[in-house]
Amino acid sequence: MRYSPELAAIRFGCGLSPALPPPRSVSDLLDGLIGPDEMARTYPIELFDRYQNRLIDLTALWKAHRKAKEREAKGQLRDQIDAVRDQARRDASIWFAHTLMRWIDTQSGLRERLAFFWADHFTALGKSGAIRYSGLPYVEQAIRPNMTGYFSDLLISVTTHPLMLQYLDQAYSIGPGSPIARKKPGRGLNENLAREVLELHTMGVDGAYTQSDIRALAELFAGLSYDWAGGFRYRADFAQPGGETVLGQSYGGKKASLSPVLEFLRDLSVHPDTARHIARKLVVHFVSDTPDPDLVAHVARRYRESNGHLLTVYGALLEHPGAWQSELMNVKPPADFVASACRALNVRPDRLDLDRPGRLRRRLVHPMAGMGQRWMAPEGPDGWPEEDAAWITPQGLASRISWAMTRPRQLVGDLPDPRRFQWDALGSYAPASVQFAAQAAETRAEGIGLVLASPTFQRR
Amino acid sequence: MALDLTRRSFLTRSALIGCSAAASPLLTRVSFAAAPWDTRLVVIILRGGMDALDVVRPLGDPDYTSARAGLLRQDDPVIDLDGFYALHPGLQPLLPLWRAGEFGAVQAVATPYRDKRSHFDGQDLLEAGSTGLGDVAGGWLNRALGQVPGVSLRTGFALGHGEMKVLAGDTAVTDWYPDTALTLSPQAALLAEQMMAEDPLFHGAYAQAMALMGEGQEGETATNGAAKGKRRLPEHVNIASYAAEQLRGDARVVGFSLNGWDTHRAQTKGLTRALKRLSQTILTLKRELGAPVWGKTVVLAMTEFGRTVRQNGTGGTDHGTGGALLFAGGAVRGGQVLGDWPGLQESALLDRRDLMPTADLRAYVAGVLQGVAGLDRAALEGTVFPGLDMDGPTSLLL
């Protein structure tokens, strides 16, 4: 149960690569998180701030469309609207390809893994129109730069993000005693964000909060809003007058403002229940569905001691022997399976046909849906399941095997020799059955497919 | 000799095939056991918390319209059911079934889940069937199958891409999504089998997948052909039609999910969409099962909780407690809304916000299992739904 470079790449990184060395040590792993973000520079993804311009354009176009009287003018505007939307969809598929390329080319796989982890922890989806394609811009702006500082900064960044406020219905929630409620009878609170912040994002469902905490927090949150032109906006006219008592502490009271909300989120970020919940979730995600209680306790303790300093928390996870059990455990979710397979194959950007989004969808996105993961579209704010059994169903496994057998040859020029490839993909982890399959397969494609379809490759 | 299909030789042959099947029980395509009972049960989990008060509207309650003014549209037709309740227009396609006694509802029911109103814990408890979370392993429908002798892998089906915890557990069931495709050369299949054999989770799934694939290649049924046609069927229709195909054969229990019930905002739109999917699902089942099998079918649609009595501030409703159980099929006593109505005046609500549950949802479901699969009360109260008291509710079955 000690550090091994191979295991570090498989369990805490994007998998083994034939082109890049695995991390040498725990400090190598951690250093990779704080250096310059080379992958983000090489394979850019638009920041949400910029993405917003598209939404501003669309708002203006729709407004003109409503006002236009002539049929022809309406038709032209409609064409422009469709063009903006299509462009967003095409760009989103390039960003998906860039996400894959980051997984393939990174020397700091842990950074990409953490980006997936936090994007899932703070699941937020666009629910209609062009907002639907803004998932990766949200992650790029609200999450990726905040993964190594204090959890409070990450929490504040996502909780005040327009996409989250839209997804969990916060933007239109207003205090029942707010100035605007007097003008708009029938409008009022919406508990959705308040509940999920406590249940999913911080304390966990076993946390020490009650329905009245949720209600009070919904009142405290009233005012968190946005408009596409300016992004996040605190609307004092939406706020519930007076202070709120949440989790036994009182917040605000005098003039409605954002600062009591931020004060609450900072307090919440260092709540012992939050420490426990985040620690456990990290261990479950990176190590095992049935986590070693010692390991969880150790990570939670470091979390509390450091006030939720995330780099310290990751360090606690990586320094503990419980994280280095040599047996591969967790099953990779479909996106991680596909991306780590592309890394083992060292897929090059020109083969991803960035200008042909239809191909990307057929080769990568649709197959992932068959494996049970619709890219960037989980069913609910709890994101994707961690349990291995949720993924390895007959239909999920059949789709994985099918992809492994047929798609790699479309993604690389010449398929490698399966006997070498089993080493590229699995290193010294390759069991005899996989080594045998790699040399006994009838064709290269089947040999590659069998290596990728092996339980060993699908676990980490 | 070849024609000597006496009972004795038939039994011997079955026993022989049975032996080889025992060596690889999952790989067999032939089902040996005839189905252990005749009535079909379809369990649909409506994930997200269906707003019972909007689906089966208690228009006769004096507090209803004031609590829901913004959710009731002026131009909605009032689909009166019994003078007190009215049906959401999104379920209009099921009205003929209601009139034929093939569709009904139970109002104001809930699982024992209270207080935290989490979707995820609420669904876990709904599927576990226990009184508290973590009381018991696996799902109630799986434990129910475990009570019946003669159940095979093909008696129970969990369909779709997502998890169906209600059917997970010690008794093997078939997990599948109808459009899955996998073709392996014999050599690749053999090598894969050897690799998978080292990992029980992968091996079980692999064996099932190969068995189901084998079936697909044997012959295409009409419904399969339609699914593979030019236009892809919507997922729920595809699943319902595959479910019907299995239920026409040896399958007796099918479970799947319909999502999209979490209507915090713009509920009139979102709920209509979800109800359309539910109607299409039930109508597909009825059509593709055919009259004789539909006549012995029970469909139960259940959700983790109901929603707040008062609409929230954004044209929707928040997580609540008391909800509804919907039931359909040719074997049910439909055309009625069952359940004790607790009233909507503030003093009658749970925590002054939710519809007060007046019965345990599980008691109705247990009654159905009793009728469908012949489970006795001791097994239902002790094993399938531990901690349940079955006294009280009317049977949903004819």
Side-chain angles (χ1 to χ4, degrees):
Chain A
M1 301 223 283
R2 43 194 289 265
Y3 185 87
S4 124
E6 260 180 359
L7 186 56
I10 294 171
R11 180 166 297 156
F12 296 105
C14 301
L16 295 172
S17 156
L20 299 164
R24 291 180 305 274
S25 61
V26 166
S27 51
D28 199 14
L29 273 170
L30 292 172
D31 288 348
L33 296 177
I34 45 180
D37 191 347
E38 274 175 38
M39 284 301 108
R41 217 180 47 216
T42 316
Y43 300 110
I45 290 172
E46 188 165 287
L47 294 178
F48 192 89
D49 279 355
R50 282 205 59 196
Y51 191 91
Q52 247 169 254
N53 292 329
R54 302 169 193 255
L55 303 173
I56 294 167
D57 289 351
L58 280 172
T59 311
L61 285 166
W62 275 117
K63 199 170 162 190
H65 182 266
R66 271 196 305 277
K67 281 193 181 153
K69 298 215 170 63
E70 315 270 312
R71 243 183 93 194
E72 199 178 330
K74 259 194 189 314
Q76 277 174 5
L77 284 160
R78 192 62 222 225
D79 289 347
Q80 288 181 47
I81 288 167
D82 290 347
V84 175
R85 206 178 274 173
D86 283 353
Q87 189 60 46
R89 198 176 63 216
R90 291 176 79 86
D91 289 344
S93 93
I94 291 175
W95 303 329
F96 164 71
H98 282 187
T99 304
L100 274 184
M101 285 313 306
R102 291 176 182 187
W103 269 63
I104 297 167
D105 281 0
T106 184
Q107 297 221 49
S108 170
L110 182 56
R111 196 194 297 249
E112 305 309 325
R113 291 287 306 284
L114 286 168
F116 272 29
F117 173 81
W118 290 117
D120 183 68
H121 183 78
F122 290 114
T123 291
L125 312 180
K127 293 200 274 200
S128 64
I131 314 166
R132 278 177 300 169
Y133 310 114
S134 67
L136 285 172
Y138 153 76
V139 177
E140 197 71 0
Q141 180 136 33
I143 292 177
R144 199 168 169 101
N146 292 311
M147 301 193 302
T148 52
Y150 286 93
F151 181 68
S152 57
D153 294 331
L154 179 57
L155 180 64
I156 287 170
S157 156
V158 296
T159 311
T160 58
H161 194 278
L163 193 68
M164 184 65 84
L165 297 173
Q166 175 259 171
Y167 180 51
L168 292 179
D169 311 303
Q170 180 61 44
Y172 300 97
S173 177
I174 63 177
S178 64
I180 201 150
R182 286 195 289 277
K183 283 185 240 156
K184 300 194 170 183
R187 292 272 306 274
L189 286 178
N190 183 312
E191 294 177 355
N192 206 7
L193 179 71
R195 175 184 307 280
E196 304 305 12
V197 162
L198 295 178
E199 176 183 329
L200 298 175
H201 300 163
T202 60
M203 300 172 78
V205 71
D206 302 325
Y209 65 89
T210 62
Q211 176 61 42
S212 40
D213 289 317
I214 290 173
R215 199 69 194 167
L217 183 54
E219 291 189 349
L220 183 64
F221 276 176
L224 300 182
S225 190
Y226 65 85
D227 56 55
W228 294 128
F232 173 74
R233 199 173 145 202
Y234 182 78
R235 297 203 47 170
D237 56 335
F238 281 23
Q240 174 72 357
E244 299 295 339
T245 301
V246 195
L247 302 172
Q249 295 279 330
S250 69
Y251 296 91
K254 290 184 196 111
K255 203 166 153 277
S257 77
L258 179 60
S259 47
V261 176
L262 302 185
E263 190 191 333
F264 168 77
L265 290 173
R266 280 189 205 101
D267 289 351
L268 181 63
S269 79
V270 294
H271 192 286
D273 286 350
T274 302
R276 185 183 46 87
H277 180 61
I278 299 293
R280 186 169 197 286
K281 196 161 173 185
L282 276 165
V283 174
V284 166
H285 181 79
F286 280 96
V287 184
S288 163
D289 290 357
T290 47
D292 171 1
D294 242 29
L295 176 55
V296 175
H298 176 72
V299 176
R301 189 164 53 244
R302 283 279 196 282
Y303 185 107
R304 289 194 306 273
E305 288 165 0
S306 69
N307 288 322
H309 186 252
L310 293 172
L311 192 65
T312 309
V313 172
Y314 309 144
L317 172 66
L318 296 170
E319 77 195 0
H320 195 281
W324 298 99
Q325 289 185 52
S326 56
E327 188 196 350
L328 300 180
M329 287 175 284
N330 278 341
V331 168
K332 297 170 183 171
D336 301 43
F337 165 65
V338 166
S340 63
C342 290
R343 180 175 171 91
L345 290 160
N346 197 29
V347 171
R348 301 322 308 151
D350 58 321
R351 302 293 304 193
L352 287 179
D353 290 326
L354 294 186
D355 53 338
R356 318 248 329 237
R359 275 198 179 168
L360 269 177
R361 279 198 288 277
R362 270 197 309 283
R363 291 174 178 177
L364 295 154
V365 182
H366 291 165
M368 274 162 49
M371 300 173 205
Q373 191 172 23
R374 274 170 51 218
W375 174 247
M376 298 292 285
E379 291 293 347
D382 57 334
W384 299 110
E386 294 286 352
E387 302 93 323
D388 299 346
W391 299 118
I392 302 306
T393 57
Q395 59 274 44
L397 181 59
S399 304
R400 287 174 185 238
I401 300 173
S402 197
W403 183 85
M405 291 286 169
T406 55
R407 299 302 179 179
R409 64 180 162 227
Q410 298 166 338
L411 296 170
V412 293
D414 287 312
L415 284 175
D417 186 315
R419 288 165 297 182
R420 201 201 83 207
F421 182 69
Q422 53 96 3
W423 177 260
D424 292 346
L426 301 171
S428 62
Y429 276 92
S433 62
V434 177
Q435 294 179 30
F436 178 75
Q439 55 95 16
E442 288 175 342
T443 64
R444 265 181 190 230
E446 283 189 0
I448 301 296
L450 285 162
V451 172
L452 294 175
S454 68
T456 316
F457 184 77
Q458 299 193 55
R459 291 187 180 273
R460 61 189 176 197
Chain B
M1 179 67 204
L3 291 170
D4 183 20
L5 280 175
T6 59
R7 182 176 153 78
R8 186 180 169 80
S9 78
F10 180 76
L11 285 175
T12 320
R13 284 153 57 95
S14 311
L16 283 173
I17 303 170
C19 270
S20 67
S24 176
L26 296 172
L27 282 171
T28 172
R29 287 176 202 170
V30 190
S31 51
F32 297 97
W37 68 83
D38 202 29
T39 310
R40 275 65 163 180
L41 175 62
V42 179
V43 174
I44 308 175
I45 308 282
L46 308 172
R47 294 182 199 277
M50 177 184 72
D51 184 20
L53 293 176
D54 204 358
V55 173
V56 182
R57 300 171 167 177
L59 286 184
D61 189 294
D63 294 301
Y64 181 65
T65 32
S66 60
R68 294 302 188 99
L71 300 180
L72 299 165
R73 284 187 294 204
Q74 287 300 317
D75 49 354
D76 272 0
V78 174
I79 308 174
D80 177 51
L81 294 176
D82 57 4
F84 184 83
Y85 291 109
L87 195 62
H88 189 288
L91 286 182
Q92 181 127 37
L94 297 186
L95 199 55
L97 274 70
W98 168 276
R99 293 195 179 121
E102 295 183 344
F103 170 57
V106 189
Q107 262 295 16
V109 288
T111 69
Y113 184 61
R114 296 290 182 276
D115 298 339
K116 280 259 166 112
R117 301 176 177 86
S118 152
H119 289 301
F120 319 111
D121 278 359
Q123 288 170 27
D124 282 355
L125 197 70
L126 173 70
E127 300 188 72
S130 51
T131 305
L133 274 168
D135 286 357
V136 70
W140 57 262
L141 197 46
N142 188 284
R143 288 194 305 278
L145 286 171
Q147 295 297 306
V148 187
V151 163
S152 79
L153 181 62
R154 297 312 178 75
T155 309
F157 275 73
L159 298 178
H161 287 305
E163 251 185 312
M164 284 300 288
K165 290 184 178 161
V166 71
L167 269 159
D170 291 339
T171 301
V173 299
T174 302
D175 221 309
W176 197 239
Y177 183 77
D179 270 351
T180 313
L182 172 65
T183 18
L184 290 179
S185 71
Q187 168 79 338
L190 196 69
L191 294 167
E193 163 70 27
Q194 284 163 9
M195 296 183 330
M196 300 296 173
E198 293 165 3
D199 189 315
L201 174 67
F202 282 79
H203 194 227
Y206 178 72
Q208 272 202 45
M210 292 306 279
L212 288 154
M213 280 304 150
E215 261 167 34
Q217 285 155 8
E218 265 174 22
E220 279 186 16
T221 64
T223 48
N224 261 344
K228 284 171 193 157
K230 262 191 292 182
R231 264 189 53 220
R232 265 168 176 260
L233 293 172
E235 192 165 310
H236 59 281
V237 176
N238 194 13
I239 287 178
S241 109
Y242 184 84
E245 186 189 332
Q246 297 304 324
L247 291 167
R248 286 198 309 268
D250 283 347
R252 289 298 173 265
V253 166
V254 172
F256 55 87
S257 307
L258 287 178
N259 301 335
W261 303 90
D262 193 20
T263 49
H264 286 280
R265 196 168 166 250
Q267 172 161 320
T268 45
K269 220 163 108 193
L271 189 59
T272 303
R273 261 199 304 261
L275 289 171
K276 185 177 166 198
R277 284 193 296 269
L278 178 61
S279 308
Q280 287 173 340
T281 301
I282 292 175
L283 292 175
T284 303
L285 284 168
K286 179 177 158 95
R287 189 181 64 242
E288 306 217 352
L289 282 169
V293 181
W294 174 254
K296 37 194 177 182
T297 294
V298 181
V299 181
L300 297 177
M302 58 189 71
T303 187
E304 67 262 32
F305 45 58
R307 307 186 71 85
T308 46
V309 168
R310 282 177 288 272
Q311 69 187 73
N312 68 11
T314 56
T317 47
D318 290 324
H319 302 184
T321 309
L325 167 70
L326 306 179
F327 58 98
V332 304
R333 208 196 293 248
Q336 52 176 346
V337 180
L338 297 165
D340 291 330
W341 181 247
L344 295 178
Q345 67 277 25
E346 182 156 327
S347 58
L349 305 184
L350 179 70
D351 300 339
R352 297 183 20 242
R353 57 177 270 150
D354 300 346
L355 180 64
M356 180 68 78
T358 53
D360 191 328
L361 164 77
R362 301 176 300 163
Y364 286 94
V365 181
V368 168
L369 287 173
Q370 201 168 25
V372 165
L375 297 191
D376 65 36
R377 185 165 168 169
L380 287 164
E381 292 180 341
T383 308
V384 179
F385 297 110
L388 173 68
D389 179 355
M390 279 177 71
D391 272 339
T394 339
S395 168
L396 306 182
L397 304 181
L398 282 173

